[in-house]
mmCIF file of all heavy atoms in Angstrom:
data_model
loop_
_atom_site.group_PDB
_atom_site.id
_atom_site.type_symbol
_atom_site.label_atom_id
_atom_site.label_comp_id
_atom_site.label_asym_id
_atom_site.label_seq_id
_atom_site.Cartn_x
_atom_site.Cartn_y
_atom_site.Cartn_z
ATOM 1 N N MET A 22 0.861 -1.252 0.015
ATOM 2 C CA MET A 22 0.059 0.015 -0.013
ATOM 3 C C MET A 22 0.887 1.283 0.061
ATOM 4 O O MET A 22 1.856 1.268 0.695
ATOM 5 C CB MET A 22 -0.940 -0.007 1.219
ATOM 6 C CG MET A 22 -1.652 1.422 1.605
ATOM 7 S SD MET A 22 -3.050 1.671 0.487
ATOM 8 C CE MET A 22 -4.342 0.688 1.249
ATOM 9 N N LEU A 23 0.536 2.125 -0.822
ATOM 10 C CA LEU A 23 1.236 3.475 -0.821
ATOM 11 C C LEU A 23 0.282 4.507 -0.711
ATOM 12 O O LEU A 23 -0.788 4.754 -1.515
ATOM 13 C CB LEU A 23 1.955 3.696 -2.250
ATOM 14 C CG LEU A 23 2.547 5.213 -2.412
ATOM 15 C CD1 LEU A 23 3.615 5.381 -1.426
ATOM 16 C CD2 LEU A 23 3.114 5.168 -3.792
ATOM 17 N N THR A 24 0.334 5.359 0.492
ATOM 18 C CA THR A 24 -0.478 6.327 0.802
ATOM 19 C C THR A 24 0.126 7.775 0.576
ATOM 20 O O THR A 24 1.168 8.034 1.171
ATOM 21 C CB THR A 24 -0.984 6.279 2.215
ATOM 22 O OG1 THR A 24 -1.627 5.050 2.410
ATOM 23 C CG2 THR A 24 -2.003 7.332 2.612
ATOM 24 N N PHE A 25 -0.499 8.633 -0.304
ATOM 25 C CA PHE A 25 -0.007 9.972 -0.467
ATOM 26 C C PHE A 25 -0.808 10.858 0.433
ATOM 27 O O PHE A 25 -1.997 10.903 0.535
ATOM 28 C CB PHE A 25 -0.321 10.366 -1.859
ATOM 29 C CG PHE A 25 0.363 9.600 -2.969
ATOM 30 C CD1 PHE A 25 -0.164 8.497 -3.468
ATOM 31 C CD2 PHE A 25 1.428 10.153 -3.439
ATOM 32 C CE1 PHE A 25 0.612 7.766 -4.507
ATOM 33 C CE2 PHE A 25 2.328 9.483 -4.559
ATOM 34 C CZ PHE A 25 1.805 8.249 -5.011
ATOM 35 N N ILE A 26 0.016 11.762 1.202
ATOM 36 C CA ILE A 26 -0.546 12.479 2.373
ATOM 37 C C ILE A 26 -0.162 13.897 2.106
ATOM 38 O O ILE A 26 1.027 14.220 2.019
ATOM 39 C CB ILE A 26 -0.078 12.072 3.697
ATOM 40 C CG1 ILE A 26 -0.510 10.581 3.901
ATOM 41 C CG2 ILE A 26 -0.739 12.927 4.839
ATOM 42 C CD1 ILE A 26 -0.053 9.994 5.227
ATOM 43 N N GLY A 27 -1.053 14.782 2.035
ATOM 44 C CA GLY A 27 -0.731 16.243 1.890
ATOM 45 C C GLY A 27 -0.625 16.733 3.283
ATOM 46 O O GLY A 27 -1.527 16.621 4.151
ATOM 47 N N LEU A 28 0.435 17.502 3.541
ATOM 48 C CA LEU A 28 0.711 18.109 4.945
ATOM 49 C C LEU A 28 0.099 19.486 5.181
ATOM 50 O O LEU A 28 0.284 20.020 6.274
ATOM 51 C CB LEU A 28 2.214 18.121 5.056
ATOM 52 C CG LEU A 28 2.939 16.706 5.129
ATOM 53 C CD1 LEU A 28 4.476 17.053 5.259
ATOM 54 C CD2 LEU A 28 2.380 15.848 6.063
ATOM 55 N N ALA A 43 -2.497 7.516 9.469
ATOM 56 C CA ALA A 43 -1.941 6.644 8.512
ATOM 57 C C ALA A 43 -0.345 6.717 8.626
ATOM 58 O O ALA A 43 0.341 5.675 8.396
ATOM 59 C CB ALA A 43 -2.251 7.351 7.073
ATOM 60 N N ILE A 44 0.283 7.760 9.151
ATOM 61 C CA ILE A 44 1.699 7.769 9.261
ATOM 62 C C ILE A 44 2.026 6.885 10.510
ATOM 63 O O ILE A 44 3.013 6.167 10.420
ATOM 64 C CB ILE A 44 2.163 9.164 9.664
ATOM 65 C CG1 ILE A 44 1.899 10.087 8.351
ATOM 66 C CG2 ILE A 44 3.684 9.211 10.004
ATOM 67 C CD1 ILE A 44 2.304 11.490 8.609
ATOM 68 N N ALA A 47 2.108 3.352 9.393
ATOM 69 C CA ALA A 47 3.014 2.976 8.249
ATOM 70 C C ALA A 47 4.330 2.300 8.781
ATOM 71 O O ALA A 47 4.753 2.461 9.848
ATOM 72 C CB ALA A 47 3.465 4.235 7.544
ATOM 73 N N ILE A 49 7.139 2.627 6.759
ATOM 74 C CA ILE A 49 8.165 3.646 6.364
ATOM 75 C C ILE A 49 7.579 4.876 5.825
ATOM 76 O O ILE A 49 6.467 4.855 5.181
ATOM 77 C CB ILE A 49 9.104 2.914 5.418
ATOM 78 C CG1 ILE A 49 10.387 3.833 5.217
ATOM 79 C CG2 ILE A 49 8.412 2.555 4.076
ATOM 80 C CD1 ILE A 49 11.507 3.098 4.479
ATOM 81 N N VAL A 50 8.154 6.046 6.125
ATOM 82 C CA VAL A 50 7.728 7.313 5.783
ATOM 83 C C VAL A 50 8.617 8.052 4.853
ATOM 84 O O VAL A 50 9.935 8.238 5.187
ATOM 85 C CB VAL A 50 7.567 8.160 7.055
ATOM 86 C CG1 VAL A 50 6.972 9.492 6.624
ATOM 87 C CG2 VAL A 50 6.508 7.445 7.942
ATOM 88 N N PHE A 51 8.228 8.331 3.718
ATOM 89 C CA PHE A 51 9.095 9.178 2.791
ATOM 90 C C PHE A 51 8.461 10.543 2.561
ATOM 91 O O PHE A 51 7.268 10.756 2.815
ATOM 92 C CB PHE A 51 9.114 8.409 1.337
ATOM 93 C CG PHE A 51 9.860 7.232 1.421
ATOM 94 C CD1 PHE A 51 9.197 5.959 1.238
ATOM 95 C CD2 PHE A 51 11.310 7.149 1.315
ATOM 96 C CE1 PHE A 51 9.968 4.775 1.164
ATOM 97 C CE2 PHE A 51 11.949 5.966 1.393
ATOM 98 C CZ PHE A 51 11.248 4.727 1.288
ATOM 99 N N ALA A 52 9.332 11.396 2.150
ATOM 100 C CA ALA A 52 8.733 12.810 1.986
ATOM 101 C C ALA A 52 9.593 13.549 0.786
ATOM 102 O O ALA A 52 10.789 13.137 0.629
ATOM 103 C CB ALA A 52 8.766 13.680 3.183
ATOM 104 N N GLU A 53 8.990 14.489 0.258
ATOM 105 C CA GLU A 53 9.763 15.382 -0.771
ATOM 106 C C GLU A 53 9.375 16.855 -0.462
ATOM 107 O O GLU A 53 8.185 17.083 -0.134
ATOM 108 C CB GLU A 53 9.579 14.989 -2.248
ATOM 109 C CG GLU A 53 8.115 15.435 -2.782
ATOM 110 C CD GLU A 53 8.095 16.744 -3.294
ATOM 111 O OE1 GLU A 53 9.010 17.549 -3.094
ATOM 112 O OE2 GLU A 53 6.965 17.059 -3.898
ATOM 113 N N PHE A 54 10.375 17.683 -0.474
ATOM 114 C CA PHE A 54 10.120 19.081 -0.116
ATOM 115 C C PHE A 54 10.664 20.033 -1.181
ATOM 116 O O PHE A 54 11.069 21.238 -0.764
ATOM 117 C CB PHE A 54 10.526 19.470 1.268
ATOM 118 C CG PHE A 54 9.890 18.725 2.433
ATOM 119 C CD1 PHE A 54 10.496 17.791 3.229
ATOM 120 C CD2 PHE A 54 8.537 18.864 2.462
ATOM 121 C CE1 PHE A 54 9.900 17.105 4.116
ATOM 122 C CE2 PHE A 54 7.807 18.084 3.465
ATOM 123 C CZ PHE A 54 8.448 17.246 4.308
ATOM 124 N N TYR A 55 10.825 19.580 -2.332
ATOM 125 C CA TYR A 55 11.236 20.527 -3.349
ATOM 126 C C TYR A 55 10.164 21.159 -4.332
ATOM 127 O O TYR A 55 10.383 22.225 -4.745
ATOM 128 C CB TYR A 55 12.245 19.863 -4.447
ATOM 129 C CG TYR A 55 11.720 18.822 -5.320
ATOM 130 C CD1 TYR A 55 11.210 19.103 -6.520
ATOM 131 C CD2 TYR A 55 11.641 17.517 -4.927
ATOM 132 C CE1 TYR A 55 10.575 18.170 -7.350
ATOM 133 C CE2 TYR A 55 11.126 16.525 -5.700
ATOM 134 C CZ TYR A 55 10.650 16.808 -6.981
ATOM 135 O OH TYR A 55 10.018 15.890 -7.739
ATOM 136 N N THR A 56 8.883 20.540 -4.297
ATOM 137 C CA THR A 56 7.831 21.114 -5.046
ATOM 138 C C THR A 56 7.099 22.203 -4.096
ATOM 139 O O THR A 56 6.575 23.187 -4.559
ATOM 140 C CB THR A 56 6.828 20.108 -5.489
ATOM 141 O OG1 THR A 56 6.325 19.303 -4.319
ATOM 142 C CG2 THR A 56 7.468 19.161 -6.554
ATOM 143 N N VAL A 75 11.651 10.279 9.179
ATOM 144 C CA VAL A 75 11.075 10.799 7.781
ATOM 145 C C VAL A 75 12.323 10.691 6.834
ATOM 146 O O VAL A 75 13.268 11.439 7.130
ATOM 147 C CB VAL A 75 10.509 12.184 7.951
ATOM 148 C CG1 VAL A 75 10.091 12.613 6.451
ATOM 149 C CG2 VAL A 75 9.229 12.200 8.905
ATOM 150 N N HIS A 76 12.113 9.875 5.764
ATOM 151 C CA HIS A 76 13.265 9.774 4.807
ATOM 152 C C HIS A 76 12.905 10.790 3.682
ATOM 153 O O HIS A 76 12.025 10.584 2.961
ATOM 154 C CB HIS A 76 13.306 8.391 4.209
ATOM 155 C CG HIS A 76 13.436 7.366 5.275
ATOM 156 N ND1 HIS A 76 14.799 6.904 5.627
ATOM 157 C CD2 HIS A 76 12.592 6.610 6.048
ATOM 158 C CE1 HIS A 76 14.671 5.978 6.609
ATOM 159 N NE2 HIS A 76 13.344 5.796 6.843
ATOM 160 N N VAL A 77 13.753 11.894 3.619
ATOM 161 C CA VAL A 77 13.546 12.900 2.682
ATOM 162 C C VAL A 77 14.215 12.491 1.297
ATOM 163 O O VAL A 77 15.386 12.205 1.393
ATOM 164 C CB VAL A 77 14.035 14.257 3.134
ATOM 165 C CG1 VAL A 77 13.836 15.347 2.041
ATOM 166 C CG2 VAL A 77 13.394 14.662 4.400
ATOM 167 N N LEU A 78 13.426 12.426 0.275
ATOM 168 C CA LEU A 78 13.875 11.900 -1.077
ATOM 169 C C LEU A 78 14.453 13.162 -1.806
ATOM 170 O O LEU A 78 14.032 14.320 -1.723
ATOM 171 C CB LEU A 78 12.803 11.369 -1.794
ATOM 172 C CG LEU A 78 12.087 10.070 -1.203
ATOM 173 C CD1 LEU A 78 10.897 9.750 -1.891
ATOM 174 C CD2 LEU A 78 13.141 8.990 -1.328
ATOM 175 N N LEU A 79 15.553 12.974 -2.610
ATOM 176 C CA LEU A 79 16.080 13.785 -3.562
ATOM 177 C C LEU A 79 15.159 13.931 -4.810
ATOM 178 O O LEU A 79 14.327 13.068 -4.955
ATOM 179 C CB LEU A 79 17.440 13.417 -4.038
ATOM 180 C CG LEU A 79 18.550 13.264 -2.845
ATOM 181 C CD1 LEU A 79 19.802 12.697 -3.470
ATOM 182 C CD2 LEU A 79 18.807 14.564 -2.295
ATOM 183 N N GLU A 82 15.299 11.040 -7.030
ATOM 184 C CA GLU A 82 14.595 9.754 -6.435
ATOM 185 C C GLU A 82 13.064 9.835 -6.616
ATOM 186 O O GLU A 82 12.505 8.808 -6.522
ATOM 187 C CB GLU A 82 14.989 9.671 -5.023
ATOM 188 C CG GLU A 82 16.425 9.366 -4.821
ATOM 189 C CD GLU A 82 16.742 9.343 -3.261
ATOM 190 O OE1 GLU A 82 16.510 10.298 -2.531
ATOM 191 O OE2 GLU A 82 17.218 8.317 -2.848
ATOM 192 N N VAL A 83 12.558 10.942 -6.855
ATOM 193 C CA VAL A 83 11.144 11.154 -7.094
ATOM 194 C C VAL A 83 10.769 11.094 -8.532
ATOM 195 O O VAL A 83 9.874 10.366 -9.010
ATOM 196 C CB VAL A 83 10.608 12.380 -6.439
ATOM 197 C CG1 VAL A 83 9.227 12.545 -6.736
ATOM 198 C CG2 VAL A 83 10.885 12.284 -5.008
ATOM 199 N N GLU A 84 11.590 11.785 -9.327
ATOM 200 C CA GLU A 84 11.148 11.960 -10.818
ATOM 201 C C GLU A 84 11.872 10.932 -11.623
ATOM 202 O O GLU A 84 11.177 10.605 -12.716
ATOM 203 C CB GLU A 84 11.490 13.412 -11.246
ATOM 204 C CG GLU A 84 10.757 14.468 -10.584
ATOM 205 C CD GLU A 84 11.093 15.913 -11.004
ATOM 206 O OE1 GLU A 84 12.016 15.883 -11.897
ATOM 207 O OE2 GLU A 84 10.427 16.759 -10.674
ATOM 208 N N PRO A 87 12.494 6.316 -8.916
ATOM 209 C CA PRO A 87 11.842 6.122 -7.628
ATOM 210 C C PRO A 87 11.771 4.561 -7.225
ATOM 211 O O PRO A 87 10.781 3.989 -7.055
ATOM 212 C CB PRO A 87 10.367 6.620 -7.975
ATOM 213 C CG PRO A 87 10.174 6.333 -9.343
ATOM 214 C CD PRO A 87 11.554 6.517 -9.943
ATOM 215 N N TRP A 89 12.324 3.306 -4.502
ATOM 216 C CA TRP A 89 11.711 3.104 -3.240
ATOM 217 C C TRP A 89 10.213 2.617 -3.266
ATOM 218 O O TRP A 89 9.614 2.030 -2.302
ATOM 219 C CB TRP A 89 11.751 4.419 -2.367
ATOM 220 C CG TRP A 89 11.208 5.582 -3.128
ATOM 221 C CD1 TRP A 89 11.948 6.379 -3.825
ATOM 222 C CD2 TRP A 89 9.831 6.007 -2.950
ATOM 223 N NE1 TRP A 89 11.097 7.326 -4.410
ATOM 224 C CE2 TRP A 89 9.817 7.190 -3.877
ATOM 225 C CE3 TRP A 89 8.730 5.643 -2.281
ATOM 226 C CZ2 TRP A 89 8.678 7.862 -4.047
ATOM 227 C CZ3 TRP A 89 7.546 6.349 -2.547
ATOM 228 C CH2 TRP A 89 7.536 7.528 -3.289
ATOM 229 N N LEU A 90 9.598 2.867 -4.402
ATOM 230 C CA LEU A 90 8.199 2.445 -4.670
ATOM 231 C C LEU A 90 8.059 0.934 -4.384
ATOM 232 O O LEU A 90 6.978 0.470 -3.906
ATOM 233 C CB LEU A 90 7.755 2.734 -6.059
ATOM 234 C CG LEU A 90 7.356 4.207 -6.278
ATOM 235 C CD1 LEU A 90 6.974 4.223 -7.749
ATOM 236 C CD2 LEU A 90 6.227 4.681 -5.432
ATOM 237 N N ASP A 97 3.450 -1.138 4.305
ATOM 238 C CA ASP A 97 2.642 0.085 4.239
ATOM 239 C C ASP A 97 3.515 1.386 4.084
ATOM 240 O O ASP A 97 4.368 1.602 5.136
ATOM 241 C CB ASP A 97 1.767 0.227 5.481
ATOM 242 C CG ASP A 97 0.598 -0.858 5.334
ATOM 243 O OD1 ASP A 97 0.176 -1.089 4.268
ATOM 244 O OD2 ASP A 97 0.042 -1.188 6.413
ATOM 245 N N VAL A 98 3.471 1.958 3.088
ATOM 246 C CA VAL A 98 4.481 3.205 2.872
ATOM 247 C C VAL A 98 3.716 4.418 2.642
ATOM 248 O O VAL A 98 2.592 4.421 2.054
ATOM 249 C CB VAL A 98 5.298 2.884 1.531
ATOM 250 C CG1 VAL A 98 6.178 4.164 1.217
ATOM 251 C CG2 VAL A 98 6.254 1.763 1.682
ATOM 252 N N VAL A 99 4.102 5.507 3.266
ATOM 253 C CA VAL A 99 3.479 6.847 3.086
ATOM 254 C C VAL A 99 4.459 7.758 2.461
ATOM 255 O O VAL A 99 5.585 7.728 2.560
ATOM 256 C CB VAL A 99 2.847 7.494 4.322
ATOM 257 C CG1 VAL A 99 1.807 6.550 5.005
ATOM 258 C CG2 VAL A 99 4.000 7.700 5.285
ATOM 259 N N PHE A 100 3.865 8.631 1.516
ATOM 260 C CA PHE A 100 4.703 9.719 0.844
ATOM 261 C C PHE A 100 4.131 10.975 1.261
ATOM 262 O O PHE A 100 2.907 11.365 0.811
ATOM 263 C CB PHE A 100 4.636 9.360 -0.566
ATOM 264 C CG PHE A 100 5.433 10.355 -1.519
ATOM 265 C CD1 PHE A 100 6.784 10.420 -1.409
ATOM 266 C CD2 PHE A 100 4.662 11.322 -2.254
ATOM 267 C CE1 PHE A 100 7.435 11.358 -2.282
ATOM 268 C CE2 PHE A 100 5.338 12.155 -3.084
ATOM 269 C CZ PHE A 100 6.711 12.175 -3.051
ATOM 270 N N LEU A 101 4.889 11.824 1.771
ATOM 271 C CA LEU A 101 4.436 13.183 2.264
ATOM 272 C C LEU A 101 4.911 14.307 1.253
ATOM 273 O O LEU A 101 5.946 14.375 0.813
ATOM 274 C CB LEU A 101 4.950 13.524 3.686
ATOM 275 C CG LEU A 101 4.901 12.361 4.743
ATOM 276 C CD1 LEU A 101 5.628 12.808 6.019
ATOM 277 C CD2 LEU A 101 3.502 12.054 4.979
ATOM 278 N N THR A 102 3.931 15.235 1.144
ATOM 279 C CA THR A 102 4.284 16.457 0.395
ATOM 280 C C THR A 102 3.528 17.625 1.024
ATOM 281 O O THR A 102 2.641 17.435 1.795
ATOM 282 C CB THR A 102 3.705 16.285 -1.062
ATOM 283 O OG1 THR A 102 2.174 16.287 -0.944
ATOM 284 C CG2 THR A 102 4.207 15.152 -1.711
ATOM 285 N N GLY A 103 4.110 18.861 0.837
ATOM 286 C CA GLY A 103 3.365 19.988 1.326
ATOM 287 C C GLY A 103 2.223 20.266 0.463
ATOM 288 O O GLY A 103 2.095 19.767 -0.624
ATOM 289 N N ASP A 105 -1.406 20.004 -0.924
ATOM 290 C CA ASP A 105 -2.287 18.818 -1.185
ATOM 291 C C ASP A 105 -1.461 17.737 -1.893
ATOM 292 O O ASP A 105 -0.304 17.943 -2.398
ATOM 293 C CB ASP A 105 -3.470 19.159 -2.053
ATOM 294 C CG ASP A 105 -4.561 18.153 -2.120
ATOM 295 O OD1 ASP A 105 -4.612 17.301 -1.254
ATOM 296 O OD2 ASP A 105 -5.422 18.196 -2.962
ATOM 297 N N THR A 106 -2.042 16.534 -2.046
ATOM 298 C CA THR A 106 -1.201 15.415 -2.543
ATOM 299 C C THR A 106 -0.925 15.335 -3.950
ATOM 300 O O THR A 106 0.115 14.976 -4.448
ATOM 301 C CB THR A 106 -1.958 14.009 -2.135
ATOM 302 O OG1 THR A 106 -3.345 14.125 -2.745
ATOM 303 C CG2 THR A 106 -2.057 13.973 -0.637
ATOM 304 N N MET A 107 -1.906 15.810 -4.761
ATOM 305 C CA MET A 107 -1.787 15.576 -6.155
ATOM 306 C C MET A 107 -1.820 16.841 -6.992
ATOM 307 O O MET A 107 -2.109 16.839 -8.293
ATOM 308 C CB MET A 107 -2.961 14.717 -6.708
ATOM 309 C CG MET A 107 -2.925 13.360 -6.298
ATOM 310 S SD MET A 107 -1.564 12.381 -7.096
ATOM 311 C CE MET A 107 -0.843 11.581 -5.766
ATOM 312 N N SER A 109 0.865 18.603 -7.837
ATOM 313 C CA SER A 109 2.081 18.461 -8.750
ATOM 314 C C SER A 109 1.819 17.295 -9.662
ATOM 315 O O SER A 109 1.516 16.199 -9.301
ATOM 316 C CB SER A 109 3.290 18.288 -7.991
ATOM 317 O OG SER A 109 4.392 18.011 -8.702
ATOM 318 N N THR A 111 4.212 15.663 -10.951
ATOM 319 C CA THR A 111 5.214 14.722 -10.475
ATOM 320 C C THR A 111 4.550 13.635 -9.549
ATOM 321 O O THR A 111 4.792 12.475 -9.653
ATOM 322 C CB THR A 111 6.281 15.424 -9.640
ATOM 323 O OG1 THR A 111 7.040 16.308 -10.484
ATOM 324 C CG2 THR A 111 7.213 14.377 -9.066
ATOM 325 N N HIS A 112 3.634 14.112 -8.701
ATOM 326 C CA HIS A 112 2.847 13.167 -7.834
ATOM 327 C C HIS A 112 1.960 12.249 -8.509
ATOM 328 O O HIS A 112 1.818 11.055 -8.173
ATOM 329 C CB HIS A 112 2.265 13.912 -6.739
ATOM 330 C CG HIS A 112 3.259 14.877 -5.962
ATOM 331 N ND1 HIS A 112 2.775 16.043 -5.318
ATOM 332 C CD2 HIS A 112 4.625 14.708 -5.765
ATOM 333 C CE1 HIS A 112 3.820 16.626 -4.745
ATOM 334 N NE2 HIS A 112 4.895 15.895 -5.020
ATOM 335 N N VAL A 113 1.410 12.799 -9.481
ATOM 336 C CA VAL A 113 0.392 12.004 -10.321
ATOM 337 C C VAL A 113 1.143 10.873 -11.042
ATOM 338 O O VAL A 113 0.833 9.731 -11.159
ATOM 339 C CB VAL A 113 -0.319 12.946 -11.354
ATOM 340 C CG1 VAL A 113 -1.273 12.029 -12.220
ATOM 341 C CG2 VAL A 113 -1.187 13.948 -10.752
ATOM 342 N N LEU A 115 3.979 9.620 -10.059
ATOM 343 C CA LEU A 115 4.378 8.527 -9.078
ATOM 344 C C LEU A 115 3.205 7.624 -8.837
ATOM 345 O O LEU A 115 3.484 6.373 -8.784
ATOM 346 C CB LEU A 115 4.716 9.302 -7.788
ATOM 347 C CG LEU A 115 6.196 9.619 -7.499
ATOM 348 C CD1 LEU A 115 6.361 10.294 -6.154
ATOM 349 C CD2 LEU A 115 7.053 8.428 -7.627
ATOM 350 N N ARG A 116 2.015 8.105 -8.690
ATOM 351 C CA ARG A 116 0.903 7.356 -8.461
ATOM 352 C C ARG A 116 0.614 6.311 -9.632
ATOM 353 O O ARG A 116 0.327 5.052 -9.374
ATOM 354 C CB ARG A 116 -0.377 8.025 -8.235
ATOM 355 C CG ARG A 116 -1.446 7.218 -7.731
ATOM 356 C CD ARG A 116 -2.790 8.103 -7.669
ATOM 357 N NE ARG A 116 -3.865 7.270 -7.030
ATOM 358 C CZ ARG A 116 -5.257 7.545 -6.924
ATOM 359 N NH1 ARG A 116 -5.617 8.644 -7.525
ATOM 360 N NH2 ARG A 116 -6.000 6.796 -6.341
ATOM 361 N N ARG A 127 -3.749 5.174 -2.096
ATOM 362 C CA ARG A 127 -4.836 5.966 -1.596
ATOM 363 C C ARG A 127 -4.333 7.374 -1.383
ATOM 364 O O ARG A 127 -3.012 7.559 -1.213
ATOM 365 C CB ARG A 127 -5.432 5.329 -0.451
ATOM 366 C CG ARG A 127 -4.626 5.339 0.798
ATOM 367 C CD ARG A 127 -5.396 5.087 2.058
ATOM 368 N NE ARG A 127 -4.589 5.047 3.320
ATOM 369 C CZ ARG A 127 -5.107 5.131 4.502
ATOM 370 N NH1 ARG A 127 -6.317 5.390 4.662
ATOM 371 N NH2 ARG A 127 -4.346 4.965 5.542
ATOM 372 N N LEU A 128 -5.275 8.422 -1.216
ATOM 373 C CA LEU A 128 -4.958 9.756 -1.137
ATOM 374 C C LEU A 128 -5.557 10.213 0.169
ATOM 375 O O LEU A 128 -6.758 10.031 0.418
ATOM 376 C CB LEU A 128 -5.523 10.531 -2.344
ATOM 377 C CG LEU A 128 -5.096 10.088 -3.806
ATOM 378 C CD1 LEU A 128 -5.709 11.164 -4.700
ATOM 379 C CD2 LEU A 128 -3.590 9.985 -3.918
ATOM 380 N N ILE A 129 -4.700 10.929 0.852
ATOM 381 C CA ILE A 129 -5.301 11.808 2.117
ATOM 382 C C ILE A 129 -4.892 13.190 1.900
ATOM 383 O O ILE A 129 -3.880 13.660 1.811
ATOM 384 C CB ILE A 129 -4.690 11.288 3.377
ATOM 385 C CG1 ILE A 129 -5.044 9.828 3.587
ATOM 386 C CG2 ILE A 129 -5.242 12.050 4.538
ATOM 387 C CD1 ILE A 129 -4.561 9.071 4.824
#
Side-chain angles (χ1 to χ4, degrees):
M22 166 77 79
L23 174 61
T24 303
F25 293 85
I26 302 175
L28 298 179
I44 292 173
I49 188 166
V50 179
F51 292 105
E53 70 85 357
F54 295 118
Y55 68 88
T56 57
V75 176
H76 302 270
V77 180
L78 298 166
L79 300 175
E82 292 178 303
V83 177
E84 296 183 352
W89 53 272
L90 281 177
D97 285 331
V98 175
V99 298
F100 177 72
L101 312 178
T102 63
D105 195 17
T106 56
M107 289 289 136
S109 172
T111 296
H112 305 151
V113 178
L115 271 180
R116 190 182 186 199
R127 69 166 175 158
L128 310 179
I129 298 178

